[in-house]
Every structure is written in C-alpha cells, then in structure tokens.
Amino acid sequence: MRGMFTAGVIDVLMEHDIEFDGAVGTSAGAAFGCNYKSRQIGRTIRYNKKYCRDKRFVSLSSWLKTGDLYGVEFSYHEIPNHLDPFDRETFSASPMEFYVVCTDMETGEAVYHNCTTGEQEDIEWMRASASMPLAARTVFIGDRKLSDGGTADSIALKFMEEKGYERNVVILTQPAGFSKKPNRLMPLMKLAYRRYPYFIKALATRHNRYNETLAYIKQQEEEGKVFVIRPPEPLGVGAAEKNPDELERVYQIGRKTAMETLKSLRRWLEENN
C-alpha cells in the first residue's frame, strides 16, 4: 500500500495535464498505474478507501479459503466491472503505452506485457504483476505461470530505456538512502515454491537487484537523465492496510510531494523535450 503514494503523485500529474508517451508499472504500480492511461483521477484512492475493510477485498479469511489475500473475484472483476468501473474505452484510445512487469515462475525472469485494451486479459496481467509471493496464488496466462513482477524487476527503468525512452520520470515509494534487506521469509518461500528453483533463486537475490537498480537510478538522476519523485521519509504503511485514514495519509504525501516538485519537473521536461 505504499502505492497510495504513487497514486497521489500521478493524480497531481494528470490534474496538471502532464502526459507521457509510455509507462511501466510493477506490482502495485501496475494495478494502480493503469489509471494514468485511463485518465481516472482519484479512482485508486477512492476504491481502496471504500473497500479496504471489506472482507471480499482483502482479508485473512480470503487468504485461508482461496490462497489470495486480495480476493480475485471482488478485486479484479466486481470492482473494475461494476462497483468503480475501469474506463476501458479511454484506456484503449490513449496513445500512451502501458507495460506491466511479471515474474515467470518457471524461469525466474521478468516478463513484460503491453496492456493495450484494458479488457479482462490485461487485468489478469495486472493481477499477476501484483500477486505477492505467499499472499497470492500463481496466475496462469497462456502457458505461463506468473507471480509478482517485483521479484524479477521492481523498478523497470532499464526496460524503458531499451524500448527507446531516453528521458524517464521514476516514482519511488521509498525515501533516499533506502536499501532493501534479504527476505526474512525465505525459509517459507523455499518450502512453498520448491517446485520452482529458478523462482526461489530470484526471490533470494531480489534485494541485490533492487539495490543495484537504485544505484543506477541515482547515477542517472545525477547526470540529469531521469527525474525521480520519492517520499521524503518512510511511509510506514502495511501491505494490506485496512485503515482508510492511513491510506489517505500516504496518498496525501504523494500529492504534496508531487506539488512541491511540479515546477522543477516541468522545467526538466521542457529542457529535455
């Protein structure tokens, strides 16, 4: 739920008509970032606050019954199709490319999918990207077995550069100086995913890749090649926060941070147009 910070940032960017040719989202960045392409300001914070205490949305009982902490039917069908509709028409019409990152459990490698229509298959790719290990079941799409994209590529800056995007804005949900530590749940993960040795290896080494990416982002930022928006301090919110006031607090930090950097971001974009 640090993704509420990202939601606050992108809502401010949309409100000020800042658009991009492409974007990539990993995990919560995929599930929430899609609203940038569909131009739905406020949707992410709205439905998360409204349903965060609903057992159909997120609950231990859902996890015990189905293997998914976030209920699949409610979160990825009922909400986007009926309760807080995802604007597929606007999403599909937008020229902005929107990629999501997943991890292939058979290979442990990152898989990148370009969501073009916002229809249910795209939603499944977003769900796969946000399927946290141990907290969600494997997502099957075609012949692939997919899990949380953060395992293989948490911040897909190099992917965007390889796609030809030379100037990139990076939204981080950790403050400057953050360093990811090894996963303390690795013994459980080794047991749960014993059939997928390459996935286990990717989980065990994730912190190394994450920290290497942060170092690369810092270098690119110092050279003026990327613009980074990050929270001023740790956000202190859980992965399954059920207090709507806490979600609003993190969202407002995102909005405040975006507003404070808006002038410098516009200047950077204009200088590097």
Short mmCIF file of all heavy atoms in Angstrom, two decimals, residues 28-60:
data_model
loop_
_atom_site.label_atom_id
_atom_site.label_comp_id
_atom_site.label_asym_id
_atom_site.label_seq_id
_atom_site.Cartn_x
_atom_site.Cartn_y
_atom_site.Cartn_z
N ALA A 28 2.04 -3.08 -7.33
CA ALA A 28 1.03 -2.04 -7.13
C ALA A 28 1.11 -0.98 -8.21
O ALA A 28 0.10 -0.36 -8.57
CB ALA A 28 1.19 -1.40 -5.75
N GLY A 29 2.31 -0.76 -8.75
CA GLY A 29 2.47 0.19 -9.84
C GLY A 29 1.71 -0.20 -11.08
O GLY A 29 1.31 0.65 -11.89
N ALA A 30 1.48 -1.50 -11.24
CA ALA A 30 0.67 -1.99 -12.37
C ALA A 30 -0.82 -1.84 -12.06
O ALA A 30 -1.59 -1.31 -12.87
CB ALA A 30 1.01 -3.45 -12.66
N ALA A 31 -1.22 -2.30 -10.87
CA ALA A 31 -2.63 -2.29 -10.50
C ALA A 31 -3.17 -0.87 -10.36
O ALA A 31 -4.35 -0.62 -10.64
CB ALA A 31 -2.83 -3.05 -9.19
N PHE A 32 -2.33 0.07 -9.92
CA PHE A 32 -2.77 1.45 -9.74
C PHE A 32 -2.40 2.34 -10.92
O PHE A 32 -3.13 3.26 -11.28
CB PHE A 32 -2.17 2.04 -8.46
CG PHE A 32 -2.52 1.28 -7.20
CD1 PHE A 32 -1.72 1.37 -6.07
CD2 PHE A 32 -3.65 0.48 -7.14
CE1 PHE A 32 -2.04 0.70 -4.91
CE2 PHE A 32 -3.98 -0.22 -5.99
CZ PHE A 32 -3.18 -0.10 -4.86
N GLY A 33 -1.25 2.07 -11.53
CA GLY A 33 -0.77 2.93 -12.62
C GLY A 33 -1.62 2.89 -13.86
O GLY A 33 -1.60 3.83 -14.66
N CYS A 34 -2.40 1.83 -14.03
CA CYS A 34 -3.26 1.74 -15.21
C CYS A 34 -4.24 2.90 -15.29
O CYS A 34 -4.71 3.28 -16.37
CB CYS A 34 -4.01 0.41 -15.22
SG CYS A 34 -5.09 0.15 -13.79
N ASN A 35 -4.56 3.50 -14.13
CA ASN A 35 -5.50 4.63 -14.12
C ASN A 35 -4.92 5.89 -14.74
O ASN A 35 -5.66 6.84 -15.02
CB ASN A 35 -5.94 4.90 -12.67
CG ASN A 35 -6.74 3.75 -12.09
OD1 ASN A 35 -7.85 3.48 -12.53
ND2 ASN A 35 -6.16 3.05 -11.13
N TYR A 36 -3.61 5.91 -14.96
CA TYR A 36 -3.00 7.03 -15.68
C TYR A 36 -3.41 6.98 -17.15
O TYR A 36 -3.81 7.99 -17.74
CB TYR A 36 -1.47 6.96 -15.56
CG TYR A 36 -0.76 8.29 -15.67
CD1 TYR A 36 0.23 8.64 -14.76
CD2 TYR A 36 -1.06 9.20 -16.68
CE1 TYR A 36 0.89 9.87 -14.85
CE2 TYR A 36 -0.41 10.42 -16.79
CZ TYR A 36 0.56 10.75 -15.86
OH TYR A 36 1.21 11.96 -15.94
N LYS A 37 -3.34 5.79 -17.72
CA LYS A 37 -3.71 5.62 -19.13
C LYS A 37 -5.22 5.77 -19.33
O LYS A 37 -5.65 6.25 -20.38
CB LYS A 37 -3.24 4.25 -19.64
CG LYS A 37 -3.48 3.98 -21.12
CD LYS A 37 -2.82 2.67 -21.54
CE LYS A 37 -3.27 2.18 -22.91
NZ LYS A 37 -2.84 3.08 -24.00
N SER A 38 -6.01 5.40 -18.33
CA SER A 38 -7.47 5.56 -18.45
C SER A 38 -7.94 6.94 -17.98
O SER A 38 -9.14 7.23 -18.02
CB SER A 38 -8.20 4.47 -17.66
OG SER A 38 -7.99 4.60 -16.27
N ARG A 39 -6.98 7.77 -17.49
CA ARG A 39 -7.25 9.16 -17.10
C ARG A 39 -8.30 9.26 -16.00
O ARG A 39 -9.13 10.17 -15.98
CB ARG A 39 -7.71 9.98 -18.31
CG ARG A 39 -6.76 9.96 -19.49
CD ARG A 39 -5.43 10.58 -19.19
NE ARG A 39 -5.53 11.99 -18.85
CZ ARG A 39 -4.50 12.74 -18.45
NH1 ARG A 39 -3.30 12.20 -18.32
NH2 ARG A 39 -4.66 14.01 -18.16
N GLN A 40 -8.25 8.33 -15.03
CA GLN A 40 -9.25 8.31 -13.96
C GLN A 40 -8.65 8.86 -12.67
O GLN A 40 -8.23 8.11 -11.78
CB GLN A 40 -9.80 6.90 -13.79
CG GLN A 40 -10.68 6.49 -14.97
CD GLN A 40 -11.23 5.09 -14.84
OE1 GLN A 40 -10.58 4.12 -15.21
NE2 GLN A 40 -12.44 4.97 -14.32
N ILE A 41 -8.65 10.17 -12.57
CA ILE A 41 -8.12 10.84 -11.40
C ILE A 41 -8.93 10.46 -10.17
O ILE A 41 -10.16 10.52 -10.17
CB ILE A 41 -8.14 12.37 -11.60
CG1 ILE A 41 -7.28 12.77 -12.80
CG2 ILE A 41 -7.70 13.10 -10.34
CD1 ILE A 41 -7.43 14.22 -13.23
N GLY A 42 -8.24 10.05 -9.11
CA GLY A 42 -8.90 9.75 -7.84
C GLY A 42 -9.43 8.34 -7.70
O GLY A 42 -9.87 7.95 -6.62
N ARG A 43 -9.42 7.56 -8.77
CA ARG A 43 -10.02 6.22 -8.71
C ARG A 43 -9.29 5.30 -7.73
O ARG A 43 -9.92 4.58 -6.96
CB ARG A 43 -10.06 5.59 -10.10
CG ARG A 43 -10.71 4.20 -10.11
CD ARG A 43 -10.89 3.65 -11.51
NE ARG A 43 -11.48 2.32 -11.46
CZ ARG A 43 -10.80 1.19 -11.40
NH1 ARG A 43 -9.47 1.22 -11.41
NH2 ARG A 43 -11.40 0.03 -11.32
N THR A 44 -7.97 5.33 -7.76
CA THR A 44 -7.20 4.41 -6.91
C THR A 44 -7.48 4.63 -5.43
O THR A 44 -7.81 3.69 -4.70
CB THR A 44 -5.69 4.57 -7.17
OG1 THR A 44 -5.40 4.22 -8.52
CG2 THR A 44 -4.89 3.67 -6.25
N ILE A 45 -7.38 5.87 -4.97
CA ILE A 45 -7.61 6.13 -3.55
C ILE A 45 -9.08 5.92 -3.20
O ILE A 45 -9.42 5.45 -2.10
CB ILE A 45 -7.14 7.56 -3.15
CG1 ILE A 45 -7.27 7.79 -1.66
CG2 ILE A 45 -7.89 8.62 -3.94
CD1 ILE A 45 -6.39 6.88 -0.81
N ARG A 46 -9.97 6.20 -4.13
CA ARG A 46 -11.41 6.09 -3.86
C ARG A 46 -11.82 4.66 -3.54
O ARG A 46 -12.41 4.38 -2.50
CB ARG A 46 -12.20 6.62 -5.06
CG ARG A 46 -13.71 6.59 -4.87
CD ARG A 46 -14.43 7.25 -6.02
NE ARG A 46 -14.20 6.59 -7.30
CZ ARG A 46 -13.65 7.19 -8.37
NH1 ARG A 46 -13.27 8.45 -8.29
NH2 ARG A 46 -13.49 6.53 -9.50
N TYR A 47 -11.48 3.71 -4.43
CA TYR A 47 -11.96 2.35 -4.20
C TYR A 47 -11.17 1.66 -3.10
O TYR A 47 -11.71 0.80 -2.38
CB TYR A 47 -12.02 1.53 -5.49
CG TYR A 47 -10.73 1.00 -6.04
CD1 TYR A 47 -10.08 -0.08 -5.46
CD2 TYR A 47 -10.17 1.53 -7.21
CE1 TYR A 47 -8.90 -0.58 -5.99
CE2 TYR A 47 -9.00 1.04 -7.74
CZ TYR A 47 -8.37 -0.02 -7.13
OH TYR A 47 -7.20 -0.53 -7.66
N ASN A 48 -9.92 2.02 -2.92
CA ASN A 48 -9.15 1.40 -1.84
C ASN A 48 -9.67 1.83 -0.47
O ASN A 48 -9.78 1.02 0.45
CB ASN A 48 -7.67 1.73 -1.98
CG ASN A 48 -6.95 0.77 -2.90
OD1 ASN A 48 -6.56 -0.33 -2.50
ND2 ASN A 48 -6.78 1.17 -4.16
N LYS A 49 -10.00 3.10 -0.32
CA LYS A 49 -10.56 3.57 0.94
C LYS A 49 -11.95 2.98 1.19
O LYS A 49 -12.28 2.62 2.32
CB LYS A 49 -10.64 5.10 0.95
CG LYS A 49 -9.32 5.80 1.18
CD LYS A 49 -9.47 7.31 1.19
CE LYS A 49 -10.35 7.78 2.32
NZ LYS A 49 -10.45 9.26 2.37
N LYS A 50 -12.73 2.87 0.14
CA LYS A 50 -14.10 2.40 0.30
C LYS A 50 -14.17 0.93 0.68
O LYS A 50 -15.01 0.52 1.49
CB LYS A 50 -14.88 2.63 -1.00
CG LYS A 50 -16.36 2.28 -0.90
CD LYS A 50 -17.11 2.69 -2.15
CE LYS A 50 -18.60 2.39 -2.01
NZ LYS A 50 -19.36 2.84 -3.22
N TYR A 51 -13.24 0.13 0.14
CA TYR A 51 -13.35 -1.32 0.33
C TYR A 51 -12.25 -1.95 1.17
O TYR A 51 -12.24 -3.17 1.32
CB TYR A 51 -13.40 -2.00 -1.04
CG TYR A 51 -14.59 -1.58 -1.88
CD1 TYR A 51 -14.42 -0.82 -3.04
CD2 TYR A 51 -15.89 -1.89 -1.48
CE1 TYR A 51 -15.51 -0.42 -3.79
CE2 TYR A 51 -16.99 -1.49 -2.23
CZ TYR A 51 -16.79 -0.75 -3.38
OH TYR A 51 -17.87 -0.35 -4.12
N CYS A 52 -11.34 -1.15 1.74
CA CYS A 52 -10.21 -1.74 2.45
C CYS A 52 -10.63 -2.56 3.66
O CYS A 52 -9.87 -3.43 4.12
CB CYS A 52 -9.20 -0.67 2.84
SG CYS A 52 -9.82 0.58 4.01
N ARG A 53 -11.82 -2.31 4.21
CA ARG A 53 -12.31 -3.08 5.36
C ARG A 53 -13.31 -4.16 4.95
O ARG A 53 -13.88 -4.84 5.80
CB ARG A 53 -12.93 -2.14 6.39
CG ARG A 53 -11.88 -1.31 7.14
CD ARG A 53 -12.51 -0.34 8.09
NE ARG A 53 -11.49 0.28 8.94
CZ ARG A 53 -11.67 1.40 9.65
NH1 ARG A 53 -12.84 2.02 9.59
NH2 ARG A 53 -10.71 1.89 10.39
N ASP A 54 -13.51 -4.29 3.66
CA ASP A 54 -14.44 -5.30 3.13
C ASP A 54 -13.69 -6.62 3.00
O ASP A 54 -12.67 -6.70 2.32
CB ASP A 54 -14.96 -4.84 1.77
CG ASP A 54 -16.15 -5.66 1.28
OD1 ASP A 54 -16.10 -6.90 1.40
OD2 ASP A 54 -17.11 -5.06 0.76
N LYS A 55 -14.20 -7.65 3.64
CA LYS A 55 -13.52 -8.96 3.62
C LYS A 55 -13.43 -9.54 2.22
O LYS A 55 -12.56 -10.36 1.95
CB LYS A 55 -14.24 -9.93 4.54
CG LYS A 55 -14.09 -9.60 6.02
CD LYS A 55 -14.77 -10.64 6.89
CE LYS A 55 -14.58 -10.31 8.37
NZ LYS A 55 -15.22 -11.33 9.24
N ARG A 56 -14.30 -9.12 1.33
CA ARG A 56 -14.23 -9.60 -0.04
C ARG A 56 -13.03 -9.01 -0.77
O ARG A 56 -12.52 -9.60 -1.73
CB ARG A 56 -15.52 -9.25 -0.80
CG ARG A 56 -16.78 -9.89 -0.24
CD ARG A 56 -18.01 -9.30 -0.93
NE ARG A 56 -18.13 -7.85 -0.67
CZ ARG A 56 -19.01 -7.05 -1.27
NH1 ARG A 56 -19.85 -7.55 -2.18
NH2 ARG A 56 -19.06 -5.77 -0.96
N PHE A 57 -12.60 -7.84 -0.32
CA PHE A 57 -11.49 -7.13 -0.96
C PHE A 57 -10.15 -7.67 -0.46
O PHE A 57 -9.31 -8.10 -1.25
CB PHE A 57 -11.62 -5.64 -0.69
CG PHE A 57 -10.58 -4.78 -1.37
CD1 PHE A 57 -10.40 -4.83 -2.74
CD2 PHE A 57 -9.81 -3.91 -0.62
CE1 PHE A 57 -9.44 -4.03 -3.36
CE2 PHE A 57 -8.85 -3.10 -1.24
CZ PHE A 57 -8.66 -3.17 -2.60
N VAL A 58 -9.93 -7.60 0.84
CA VAL A 58 -8.69 -8.10 1.42
C VAL A 58 -8.97 -8.61 2.83
O VAL A 58 -9.57 -7.91 3.64
CB VAL A 58 -7.60 -7.00 1.44
CG1 VAL A 58 -8.08 -5.75 2.14
CG2 VAL A 58 -6.32 -7.52 2.08
N SER A 59 -8.56 -9.85 3.09
CA SER A 59 -8.81 -10.43 4.41
C SER A 59 -8.05 -11.73 4.59
O SER A 59 -7.69 -12.41 3.63
CB SER A 59 -10.31 -10.70 4.60
OG SER A 59 -10.77 -11.67 3.67
N LEU A 60 -7.79 -12.05 5.84
CA LEU A 60 -7.16 -13.32 6.17
C LEU A 60 -8.05 -14.48 5.77
O LEU A 60 -7.57 -15.51 5.30
CB LEU A 60 -6.86 -13.38 7.68
CG LEU A 60 -6.19 -14.65 8.18
CD1 LEU A 60 -4.83 -14.87 7.52
CD2 LEU A 60 -6.03 -14.60 9.70
#
